[in-house]
């Protein structure tokens, strides 16, 4: 018998203004920017689904309609591809529609990440839930969320993912004070900056040493698409020799 209620829901805030990516994000949500040929938000939803969470709540806002369209059927496009017999592309446009049950709520005014999560209160009720950011994901081969859910099942309370960063980057993130727990990758949080103190059951941190991708600003976005392009044999075959030559020519 599990000691704590199972986590089945994921909340994904995607209502931010994306000001670091203007003007691209004036009319397009930054969560829809493609990583090779799939929008960032689909990687995020796939990450939740891979951890067993199939009830997804997207927190959206104005100018975010493309997010809803992406996870919905598109009969006209389906018919066009069917008529051409293009089964491969048909399968690819079905993928996002069949991944999970996706619900939506709106954050009327983008009042910050904490407020976006609060907008999920009605949907999640008193159940435990995972929060993933709409423009930030973990490499599919590095199962962080599964591990966080296991830690939650074992320790209860709240669980956050932690990564070590260089001291010159500290100001960009929330910072924690920790104590060991006896479990190699799990620490107890004793203090946090930039986050309110949590109540009940303690706050635990899973120390993550895998690959995290941020697509919310132009530089990190470029790093992300180059890495994913090089992992895709169909793209890398042409792209890698081109990239090598381009860099050689620069040197
Ligand atoms: P960010 O801080 O990266 O988003 O939030 P932002 O505010 O859109 O970015 P900039 O600084 O203006 O470029 C991380 C995630 O939280 C969501 C964003 O959409 C993103 O997926 N978010 C942020 C909300 O849902 N609501 C908010 O009020 C703020």
């Amino acid at each position: 018998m599990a000691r704590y209620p199972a986590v089945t829901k994921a909340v994904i805030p995607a209502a931010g203004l994306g000001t670091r990516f203007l003007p691209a994000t004036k009319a397009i949500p930054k969560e829809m920017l493609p990583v090779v040929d799939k929008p960032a938000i689909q990687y995020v939803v796939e990450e939740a689904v891979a951890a067993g969470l199939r009830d997804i709540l997207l927190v959206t806002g104005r100018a975010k309609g493309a997010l809803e369209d992406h996870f919905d059927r598109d009969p006209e496009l389906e018919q066009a591809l069917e008529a051409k017999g293009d089964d491969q592309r048909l399968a690819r446009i079905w993928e996002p529609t069949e991944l999970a049950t996706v619900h939506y709520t709106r954050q009327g005014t983008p009042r910050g990440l904490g407020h976006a999560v609060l907008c999920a209160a009605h949907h999640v009720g008193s159940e435990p839930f995972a929060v993933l950011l709409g423009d930030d994901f973990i490499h599919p081969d590095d199962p962080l969320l599964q591990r966080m859910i296991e830690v939650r099942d074992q320790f209860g309370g709240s669980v956050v993912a932690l990564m070590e960063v260089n001291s010159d980057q500290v100001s960009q993130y929330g910072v924690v004070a920790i104590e060991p727990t006896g479990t190699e990758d799990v620490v107890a949080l004793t203090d946090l900056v930039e986050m309110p103190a949590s109540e009940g059951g303690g706050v635990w941190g899973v120390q993550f040493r895998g690959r995290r991708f941020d697509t919310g600003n132009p530089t990190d976005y470029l790093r992300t698409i180059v890495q994913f392009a090089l992992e895709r044999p169909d793209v890398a075959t042409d792209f890698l020799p081109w990239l090598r030559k381009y860099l050689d020519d620069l040197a």
Side-chain angles (χ1 to χ4, degrees):
M1 263 276 284
R3 284 169 61 196
Y4 300 100
V7 184
T8 61
K9 292 181 175 171
V11 172
I12 306 180
L17 293 176
T19 53
R20 284 167 297 167
F21 237 127
L22 285 169
T25 48
K26 189 178 170 199
I28 296 169
K30 69 172 167 180
E31 296 81 5
M32 284 302 295
L33 294 174
V35 174
V36 186
D37 52 11
K38 212 160 65 173
I41 190 70
Q42 189 174 334
Y43 287 87
V44 180
V45 172
E46 285 172 354
E47 186 182 333
V49 170
L53 313 182
R54 302 183 71 90
D55 179 331
I56 310 283
L57 179 71
L58 284 190
V59 182
T60 67
R62 242 178 309 281
K64 298 282 185 173
L67 290 167
E68 295 191 26
D69 290 342
H70 184 69
F71 292 101
D72 197 5
R73 299 287 292 265
D74 183 338
E76 207 178 323
L77 187 55
E78 287 173 23
Q79 270 170 21
L81 292 172
E82 261 160 20
K84 280 207 246 170
D86 193 341
D87 293 340
Q88 215 177 343
R89 289 201 174 88
L90 253 183
R92 295 221 71 198
I93 65 159
W94 270 330
E95 269 171 32
T97 70
E98 290 174 346
L99 271 174
T101 306
V102 186
H103 306 270
Y104 301 89
T105 194
R106 305 245 316 198
Q107 182 188 24
T109 315
R111 289 165 56 191
L113 181 56
H115 180 256
V117 175
L118 191 61
C119 294
H122 183 70
H123 184 79
V124 299
S126 56
E127 291 177 48
F129 60 99
V131 176
L132 297 90
L133 303 185
D135 62 349
D136 192 311
F137 54 88
I138 299 300
H139 194 284
D141 294 340
D142 299 346
L144 169 63
L145 187 53
Q146 287 93 317
R147 180 65 188 138
M148 292 175 77
I149 291 171
E150 276 171 25
V151 170
R152 151 83 199 174
D153 288 344
Q154 196 186 341
F155 289 74
S158 303
V159 181
V160 294
L162 304 174
M163 287 186 90
E164 279 186 28
V165 297
N166 290 331
S167 50
D168 61 339
Q169 292 180 324
V170 162
S171 62
Q172 297 172 31
Y173 298 97
V175 180
V176 297
I178 55 173
E179 277 176 5
T181 60
T183 301
E184 198 263 330
D185 63 336
V186 182
V187 291
L189 269 62
T190 56
D191 203 2
L192 341 112
V193 182
E194 277 195 14
M195 284 192 269
S198 303
E199 287 172 22
V203 182
W204 312 98
V206 170
Q207 289 188 311
F208 179 61
R209 297 188 179 86
R211 292 159 289 180
R212 167 183 168 255
F213 300 93
D214 185 357
T215 63
N217 65 80
T219 309
D220 286 330
Y221 174 70
L222 287 172
R223 288 193 183 115
T224 301
I225 53 177
V226 169
Q227 288 183 62
F228 276 80
L230 295 179
E231 285 190 15
R232 278 268 299 266
D234 57 328
V235 178
T237 309
D238 283 341
F239 181 61
L240 181 57
W242 174 85
L243 185 62
R244 281 215 173 95
K245 181 169 182 324
Y246 184 76
L247 295 175
D248 284 349
D249 290 350
L250 280 184

